[in-house]
């Protein structure tokens, strides 16, 4: 069975969704860059090895990245899943996990990389918004997209209502993507494109969070 290490910084609801999904993958550890990440509580309650690599204890990005890599490597994971991990990783670390580090981003990439995606989506007046799971590359919120889930932007939406609608989709697509990695279905087609074999997803299903 493949193993995954999940990196968090905060609430950890995506981590929880992955853990609760009962995937054919072992969650080997949860690692946080913040000691006060609320998600650490769920990890402990679930009996998962949890570790803090406190970013404040390191004077340079390189030193932090080295400590993080050592903490990850202790579990020799097949996949590293960034789940609300709010820290930009250095190129060396990202390259070390080339093709086997994924992230979830709360927008339909390549639209709205970076922060405050829901506010920016509302300001832009887009009618469809969503979330993306992508393979991590040294560029921020870039890299081959594995799966996306879309939701409508409704009249009267606030940042909060839209975020909640997108989060529901995140909790569906992230476990799905981890499952595909665990089942060896993810293929790199070249030119930065990922293909997933036999997803069972029909052509119109991505527009609705209910059908993915
Ligand atoms: C999610 O919206 C994720 O897409 C973004 O940060 C949020 C983390 O939420 N990168 P959680 O910690 O998984 O609850």
């Amino acid at each position: 069975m493949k193993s995954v290490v999940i990196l968090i910084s905060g609430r950890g609801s995506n981590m929880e969704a992955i853990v609760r999904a009962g995937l054919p993958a072992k969650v080997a550890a949860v690692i946080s860059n913040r000691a006060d990440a609320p998600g650490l509580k769920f990890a402990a309650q679930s009996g998962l090895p949890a570790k803090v690599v406190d970013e404040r204890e390191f004077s340079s990005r390189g030193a932090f990245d080295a400590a993080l890599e050592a903490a990850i490597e202790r579990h020799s994971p097949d996949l590293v899943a960034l789940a609300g991990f709010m820290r930009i990783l250095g190129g060396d670390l990202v390259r070390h996990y080339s093709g086997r580090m994924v992230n979830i981003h709360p927008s339909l990439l390549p639209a709205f990389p970076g922060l405050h995606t829901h506010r920016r989506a509302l300001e832009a007046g887009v009618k469809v918004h969503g979330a993306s799971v992508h393979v991590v590359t040294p560029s921020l919120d870039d890299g081959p997209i594995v799966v996306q889930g879309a939701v409508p932007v409704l009249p009267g939406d606030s940042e909060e209502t839209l975020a909640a609608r997108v989060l529901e989709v995140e909790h569906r697509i992230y476990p799905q993507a981890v499952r595909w990695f665990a089942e060896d279905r993810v293929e790199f087609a070249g030119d930065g494109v990922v293909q997933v074999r036999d997803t069972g997803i029909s052509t119109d299903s991505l527009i609705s969070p209910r059908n993915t």
Side-chain angles (χ1 to χ4, degrees):
M1 195 187 266
K2 303 229 180 205
S3 66
V4 52
V5 165
I6 305 176
L7 306 191
I8 66 168
S9 297
R11 179 177 57 183
S13 69
N14 278 290
M15 165 204 64
E16 202 171 322
I18 292 168
V19 171
R20 286 190 194 281
L23 302 176
K26 177 183 177 217
V27 178
V30 172
I31 300 174
S32 172
N33 60 326
R34 295 186 192 155
D36 59 357
L40 286 169
K41 196 184 263 182
F42 172 82
Q45 283 166 354
S46 308
L48 297 171
K51 162 101 180 147
V52 175
V53 181
D54 192 336
E55 60 187 18
R56 290 167 308 185
E57 289 173 9
F58 299 89
S59 53
S60 70
R61 182 162 98 171
F64 171 80
D65 279 5
L68 182 62
E69 184 173 328
I72 298 171
E73 277 310 292
R74 221 160 281 143
H75 304 279
S76 308
D78 298 294
L79 184 70
V80 178
L82 311 187
F85 187 69
M86 301 301 286
R87 172 145 185 142
I88 295 171
L89 297 172
D92 287 346
L93 180 59
V94 170
R95 274 185 287 274
H96 182 85
Y97 294 105
S98 175
R100 53 195 184 103
M101 179 182 268
V102 286
N103 180 44
I104 186 149
H105 182 74
S107 79
L108 292 173
L109 290 171
F112 311 121
L115 296 173
H116 310 303
T117 55
H118 309 307
R119 186 194 312 165
R120 287 159 59 209
L122 288 171
E123 284 167 0
V126 296
K127 305 300 179 242
V128 178
H129 186 42
S132 309
V133 177
H134 66 95
V135 176
V136 176
T137 64
S139 313
L140 181 70
D141 299 329
D142 195 24
I145 292 166
V146 180
V147 61
Q148 293 182 303
V151 299
V153 180
L154 300 176
D157 259 339
S158 64
E159 220 176 313
E160 289 72 29
T161 58
L162 186 54
R165 196 173 306 124
V166 171
L167 192 63
E168 190 190 324
V169 169
E170 294 185 40
H171 295 166
R172 301 169 77 87
I173 65 173
Y174 213 179
Q176 179 71 79
V178 173
R179 177 183 292 277
W180 287 335
F181 272 92
E183 294 174 348
D184 257 337
R185 289 171 195 248
V186 179
E187 290 173 353
F188 291 85
D191 294 339
V193 173
V194 152
Q195 307 278 11
V196 184
R197 276 180 290 109
D198 308 325
T199 61
I201 291 181
S202 67
T203 48
D204 63 352
S205 66
L206 288 183
I207 205 71
S208 162
R210 301 276 161 215
N211 294 338
T212 53

